[in-house]
Amino acid sequence: MSERVIAPKSRGFLFLDSHPGGCRQLVDEMWQAAPAPVPAGSQGPVALVIGSSAGYGLAATIAGLARVGIRGIGVCFEKAPARRTGTAGWYRTAATARLARQHRRDMVFLNGDAFSDTVKEQVAGLLVERFGGRLDYLIYSVAAPRRTDPDTGQVHASVLKPIGSPYTTKTLVFDEHGAPEVKEITAAAAEGDDIEQTVAVMGGTDWERWITFLADRSLLADGFATAALSYIGSPLTAAIYRQGTIGAAKSHLEATARTLDERLGRTLGGRAMTSVNAAAVTQSSTAVPGIALYVGLLRGVLGDAMVAPIGQLVELWDRLTGARPLDLDDEGRVRLDTWELAPAVQNAVAERWNTATSGTITELADLDWFGDEVRRLYGFSVPGVDYTAAVETDVPWPTPTS
């Protein structure tokens, strides 16, 4: 047993510890926010969620369990409790597994490097031994700084850089006393093989490898469908995001979707697509220059009209399962971001962006909401949690029940 009081300590947007009770309560909130027409214990489709512990991947897992009654496998890469607490994703996975058991959903969680063939072999084995040897859905939601190529052993590293020339943008930071500051930051342009490295990590190579790996073992069901989660974003952040190195990776992901869609349609009557999600505060997004400022301003414009990740992923599952039409854009993408990119919304955000300074930012952006959302990523600022009480940090990884 290892009980202690956990206080939030951070370096910028990165927190040093996570709160198990807050992470558990957050997962409970997300589950309750997903309409759940499927009775507990019903045998839903078999799904694999790669990147199941954080951000949109977590939302995909919880929405699938609560809304559709999926059973299957979640894959993520999290650190166990040791000298510090476990990662937030460790505790969120334990909480998700607890709710899955409570609702009699057969969901197994694997902790390992999704880029490796070792984890792919583990997933294939579980599909055969536990889930009848057939997979109905695969959701791909991986955001990682590095990827080791299983064939060559080469380690690729992704970078956040504009393409062509350096780019200066506004960004939001908080000083040592927590006061918000709007500053300018200049990102150096991509050079050498930065683009190729980023595409190797964040593009569609590993997603396609997963599909090929499972197809070669006859583990994909007739009508199998797969979606890779993506983001386009605002013109205000395009130079560093969609037109930068990450954008090159996203374009590769979308090209991969078109290739896979043709292949799966021909062989299984299946589908492959990217799902373009809308803005949210995630551990990945806070690392992108300008995104924190943009999301805070977007919340200032829209307030509660912003659609949380769990709401977006409920919609994606409804489209995948036929509860709603699977409408795709001309590039073969599901668009869950139309509310964010509506011209009136973007014009209002751009007006605030242009006038945002350290002196005006509190009037233009919802910084209280943004700060809470950042802390919630680590289990803090969650209503109903007593942060003065000691909490057990040595939470075990969930093991599958028989």
Side-chain angles (χ1 to χ4, degrees), residues 227-231 253 273-278 312-313 316 332-336:
L229 308 188
S230 186
Y231 182 65
L253 190 72
M273 68 212 76
T274 52
S275 172
V276 182
N277 299 335
Q312 296 178 44
L313 269 297
L316 177 61
R333 304 173 297 199
V334 176
R335 298 303 295 267
L336 305 178

Side-chain angles (χ1 to χ4, degrees), residues 114-134:
F115 295 135
S116 71
D117 284 350
T118 299
V119 168
K120 292 177 176 66
E121 290 282 7
Q122 289 178 300
V123 167
L126 279 169
L127 287 173
V128 171
E129 297 162 10
R130 196 175 185 98
F131 298 106
R134 285 292 185 273

Side-chain angles (χ1 to χ4, degrees), residues 369-380:
W369 170 85
F370 178 80
D372 281 344
E373 286 297 293
V374 171
R375 288 185 287 272
R376 283 162 64 87
L377 295 175
Y378 299 89
F380 300 103

Side-chain angles (χ1 to χ4, degrees), residues 322-340:
R324 298 178 62 175
L326 183 61
D327 295 327
L328 305 178
D329 69 7
D330 292 341
E331 300 296 323
R333 304 173 297 199
V334 176
R335 298 303 295 267
L336 305 178
D337 61 344
T338 53
W339 58 267
E340 176 191 350

Side-chain angles (χ1 to χ4, degrees), residues 30-41:
M30 293 176 69
W31 190 290
Q32 291 163 12
V38 181

Side-chain angles (χ1 to χ4, degrees), residues 191-213:
E191 56 185 7
D193 64 349
D194 282 345
I195 298 173
E196 291 78 7
Q197 289 275 324
T198 305
V199 169
V201 178
M202 299 293 291
T205 302
D206 183 63
W207 181 31
E208 185 171 17
R209 190 180 184 93
W210 269 101
I211 301 302
T212 299
F213 191 96

